Amino acid sequence: MANCIACNKRLGMLNTPMFSKGQTKDSGTICTSCHMSLAMNNASHISNKMKQFTNQEVIETLQQINSTKEQIKSDKKEEFERKVEQHKNQISSNNERLQKIKLTISKLNPTVVNKIEVSELPTILMEDENIEKINSGFLDEGKGSTGNGLLVATNYRVIFIDKPVFGFGIKMEDFPYDKISSVSVETGFLKGVLKIICSGNTAKINLVTGAKEFSEFIRQKTMVKPIVHQQVNIEPDILGQIEKLAELKEKGILTEEEFNEKKVILLAKL
């Protein structure tokens, strides 16, 4: 038997379309794979009526289909490689930032620098967010699940992070300073309970040490309110002044010339 006019594959009973469905106007024949490629790639008008098309028309259509497939394949490969490169760069950036974060933590509270939650901080903290106070604690009450984790105070907010030793993901609650309505501390035997009320959420976090200092730190942050500059309209009442000048003119205090001169000056300010 002959070969497929498109892919040059040897034709046989198992790979030749039945009932001469793969035969062209020029009596050329394509294999089952090429016939299916036409049918599945917006060229069913050719695959359904092969005998109305020449060998060249069929070959060119299949070449265009294959070229499109190769382009799509190449684009997907480039996109995949781009994402891989971005992921590598992100990992490198996170590792670099993690080292800086650990250096900061070692100065603030070296006892927590090796907690597993620390490794999540590069992806949790915003680009310009800096850690200012940090401690370990146990979340007794809050919106999320209770657990032992890390309490972090930054220049923007307070964050509680709990990363399970076994399992995936993290549990996190954050409290922006401008949303915190109340912060208090309850001291007890060998521990202190830090209570934060923020936007209707009440969180109670047990801290073995430093609960009072942490509470005071947060309180100071919540007391800093943004300065709102109100625009004060200091523009004088021009029309009112002109009316007063007119009264002075009527009383003879100002002459017509003096009145007109001052009126021009005031109108220029409008």
Side-chain angles (χ1 to χ4, degrees), residues 184-201:
S184 59
V185 62
E186 301 171 4
T187 57
F189 181 67
L190 295 180
K191 68 176 182 180
V193 179
L194 182 67
K195 183 179 179 181
I196 303 173
I197 300 177
C198 177
S199 299
N201 176 27

Side-chain angles (χ1 to χ4, degrees), residues 76-236:
K76 287 184 177 179
K77 182 181 178 182
E78 288 182 7
E79 178 67 14
F80 175 76
E81 290 174 349
R82 185 182 64 81
K83 288 184 177 180
V84 169
E85 189 64 25
Q86 284 182 341
H87 183 63
K88 288 180 179 179
N89 292 337
Q90 186 64 50
I91 291 175
S92 176
S93 176
N94 286 347
N95 288 338
E96 184 178 342
R97 192 178 187 195
L98 179 59
Q99 296 308 312
K100 293 180 179 178
I101 288 172
K102 284 186 174 182
L103 181 61
T104 299
I105 294 174
S106 64
K107 295 177 181 178
L108 295 173
N109 188 351
T111 63
V112 301
V113 73
N114 292 318
K115 283 184 67 65
I116 58 175
E117 288 83 6
V118 171
S119 62
E120 300 295 330
L121 289 173
T123 57
I124 291 174
L125 298 178
M126 294 180 286
E127 187 175 349
D128 60 342
E129 191 169 17
N130 302 312
I131 299 172
E132 297 185 353
K133 201 167 186 62
I134 189 167
N135 208 338
S136 59
F138 187 89
L139 181 65
D140 269 345
E141 183 180 328
K143 283 186 177 180
S145 304
T146 60
N148 184 39
L150 203 61
L151 186 65
V152 183
T154 74
N155 47 327
Y156 292 125
R157 56 182 172 162
V158 179
I159 315 169
F160 183 83
I161 313 162
D162 176 21
K163 182 177 182 180
V165 178
F166 302 103
F168 299 96
I170 60 171
K171 302 171 186 176
M172 186 185 87
E173 290 194 42
D174 70 332
F175 313 93
Y177 293 127
D178 60 347
K179 303 294 183 183
I180 295 176
S181 58
S182 173
V183 57
S184 59
V185 62
E186 301 171 4
T187 57
F189 181 67
L190 295 180
K191 68 176 182 180
V193 179
L194 182 67
K195 183 179 179 181
I196 303 173
I197 300 177
C198 177
S199 299
N201 176 27
T202 300
K204 290 185 177 181
I205 306 162
N206 288 335
L207 299 175
V208 175
T209 59
K212 186 176 180 180
E213 291 80 0
F214 222 113
S215 173
E216 184 59 30
F217 179 86
I218 298 173
R219 185 177 292 106
Q220 291 297 325
K221 285 288 187 180
T222 59
M223 290 173 64
V224 179
K225 302 297 182 183
I227 299 174
V228 179
H229 297 282
Q230 294 183 346
Q231 185 176 357
V232 179
N233 186 12
I234 59 175
E235 184 71 21

Side-chain angles (χ1 to χ4, degrees), residues 64-80:
Q64 185 175 0
I65 290 172
N66 291 333
S67 177
T68 301
K69 286 181 178 179
E70 287 298 319
Q71 186 62 49
I72 293 173
K73 184 179 179 181
S74 176
D75 291 344
K76 287 184 177 179
K77 182 181 178 182
E78 288 182 7
E79 178 67 14
F80 175 76

